Amino acid sequence: MSSEVIALPETHPLRTGRTDRSPLVRAARGDRPEQLPVWFMRQAGRSLPEYRETRAGTEMLDACLTPALASEITLQPVRRHGVDAAVFFSDIVVPVLLAGVGVRIVPGRGPVLDEPVRSASDVLALRPIEPEALAPISEAVAMTVAELGDTPLVGFGGAPYTVASYLIEGGPSREQLRTRALMRTDPHTWATLLNWCADVTGAFLRAQVMAGASVVQLFDSWAGSLSRDDYLRRALPHSKRALDALRGLDVPRIHFGLGLAESLDAIPAVGADVIGIDWRMPLDVANRRLGGTMPLQGNIDPALLTAPWSLLERHVRDVVERGADAPAHIVNLGHGVPPDTDPTVLTRIVQLVHEL
């Protein structure tokens, strides 16, 4: 047995055989299982009435750090939709909070910092995550994996550029003007901050894997605001550093970046095994740009989840057909599930994909 596999705990579902032959893991490793795997980004949470009932009266970040609650929310879409993976219910700013940075999630807006990180002294004041701070994450993952059986859990974390943009802007921003200004005017402070973001995300991902996650996904929600040159020089190396925290652990890695079509050919250098594609680029085009070498994930347009079923069904069939040329295909959305999505539509998509 290779040393890579030995690095995982003996009870890990990939080592005990519970998840290593699941459709999702097989596809993530470049295989074509008999049944196409499908799951949805943001499937755990806002679109489900059982989620709203479960989380009533609890702040978002409190829910993320209450193991029994986070586990229950993670399991809900698996029970309802029959998806081929659970995705760990958390938030990309959770590791930031666990490292001691004051952040809260404002309903309708997202993560907000009372004191943004914008100067060299602000960055130097940041501290690493203490291992004991990750205990609620490990506990929630272990509880979830115990309930999932042979369904794999996808762990996740935010890419350093996206995490940094929240820290610098003080909240969500469409253009990341302050972020890009710091990147160009103070390269040393920028690199120090991005390395810190990579290390806290890396610790967050590693805790999830060691507790039983069978796959991980790195989300880069905001890197589409960068030019190709800036992304390649000032963001991509830090995303690689985040995934390097999993070195020696034989766990498939997915990279999903929003609006990164111009940099698509460079993304394999991050160290991902699967490239997630947003709704803007057809999968057959993405496959050609990647030289037919990478398993793909995606890319149903979330906007069509409210369309008549006949139109949505044609679209899903088209996505599956275009993904057929790639070495492997994991069906997903081209971004997350919108909050107002009718859950029955997601269930119908899962049934359709499994029939295809």
Side-chain angles (χ1 to χ4, degrees):
M1 185 175 288
S2 75
S3 59
E4 284 194 338
V5 179
I6 291 171
L8 290 171
E10 289 186 7
T11 56
H12 194 283
L14 287 174
R15 289 197 65 188
T16 62
R18 282 169 53 194
T19 60
D20 65 326
R21 300 301 296 165
S22 65
L24 180 88
V25 170
R26 287 177 59 190
R29 287 177 168 163
D31 193 7
R32 281 251 171 207
E34 298 72 28
Q35 181 172 284
L36 264 178
V38 54
W39 68 283
F40 304 108
M41 291 182 276
R42 290 193 191 143
Q43 66 187 16
R46 304 171 297 177
S47 65
L48 296 182
E50 55 265 44
Y51 163 77
R52 293 191 288 271
E53 185 179 329
T54 301
R55 222 204 86 194
T58 305
E59 294 287 338
M60 171 69 177
L61 291 175
D62 290 339
C64 293
L65 295 174
T66 304
L69 192 53
S71 177
E72 166 59 22
I73 293 168
T74 301
L75 292 165
Q76 286 173 348
V78 181
R79 297 190 199 114
R80 179 186 273 264
H81 303 311
V83 281
D84 294 292
V87 59
F88 184 52
F89 174 76
S90 193
D91 191 274
I92 64 168
V93 298
V94 164
V96 170
L97 178 68
L98 295 178
V101 176
V103 60
R104 54 201 166 86
I105 293 183
V106 177
R109 187 176 173 205
V112 173
L113 282 84
D114 295 325
E115 298 181 13
V117 178
R118 292 177 181 162
S119 68
S121 59
D122 292 339
V123 173
L124 290 174
L126 297 170
R127 293 290 173 260
I129 295 181
E130 298 297 335
E132 58 270 20
L134 289 160
I137 305 303
S138 301
E139 186 180 343
V141 169
M143 291 174 69
T144 306
V145 168
E147 295 291 326
L148 280 172
D150 58 4
T151 300
L153 175 68
V154 178
F156 90 102
Y161 178 81
T162 290
V163 175
S165 76
Y166 283 110
L167 295 175
I168 296 165
E169 305 289 340
S173 166
R174 292 200 176 278
E175 295 185 288
Q176 292 88 48
L177 296 178
R178 287 191 179 95
T179 305
R180 289 187 283 125
L182 178 66
M183 178 181 70
R184 299 303 288 272
T185 59
D186 191 345
H188 178 73
T189 296
W190 174 259
T192 305
L193 174 59
L194 270 282
N195 282 340
W196 182 87
C197 293
D199 291 345
V200 296
T201 286
F204 186 53
L205 289 171
R206 190 175 182 92
Q208 293 171 67
V209 169
M210 296 304 285
S214 293
V215 180
V216 297
Q217 176 163 301
L218 192 70
F219 284 81
D220 213 346
S221 306
W222 299 119
S225 69
L226 295 175
S227 69
R228 177 183 168 89
D229 184 61
D230 280 341
Y231 176 71
L232 267 56
R233 293 174 57 194
R234 300 179 172 93
L236 185 150
H238 303 283
S239 291
K240 182 180 185 302
R241 180 177 173 128
L243 287 180
D244 279 350
L246 303 177
R247 188 182 288 132
L249 300 175
D250 187 20
V251 174
R253 297 143 208 208
I254 304 169
H255 179 282
F256 174 76
L258 198 62
L260 286 178
E262 292 305 312
S263 305
L264 189 63
D265 60 302
I267 291 175
V270 170
D273 303 295
V274 181
I275 307 297
I277 308 297
D278 72 21
W279 70 90
R280 299 172 177 90
M281 179 183 289
L283 292 181
D284 52 341
V285 176
N287 183 55
R288 287 196 296 274
R289 288 199 186 181
L290 289 162
T293 61
M294 299 290 294
L296 299 181
Q297 178 176 278
N299 66 343
I300 298 165
D301 188 342
L304 294 185
L305 296 178
T306 56
W309 174 251
S310 57
L311 175 59
L312 178 56
E313 181 183 0
R314 283 200 304 276
H315 176 55
V316 172
R317 288 177 180 274
D318 182 62
V319 166
V320 170
E321 189 175 319
R322 290 176 184 275
D325 289 338
H329 182 201
I330 298 167
V331 180
N332 206 313
L333 302 179
H335 198 208
V337 176
D340 58 352
T341 301
D342 179 354
T344 61
V345 172
L346 298 178
T347 306
R348 288 186 78 178
I349 291 174
V350 173
Q351 292 168 347
L352 173 60
V353 170
H354 286 166
E355 289 166 7
L356 295 176

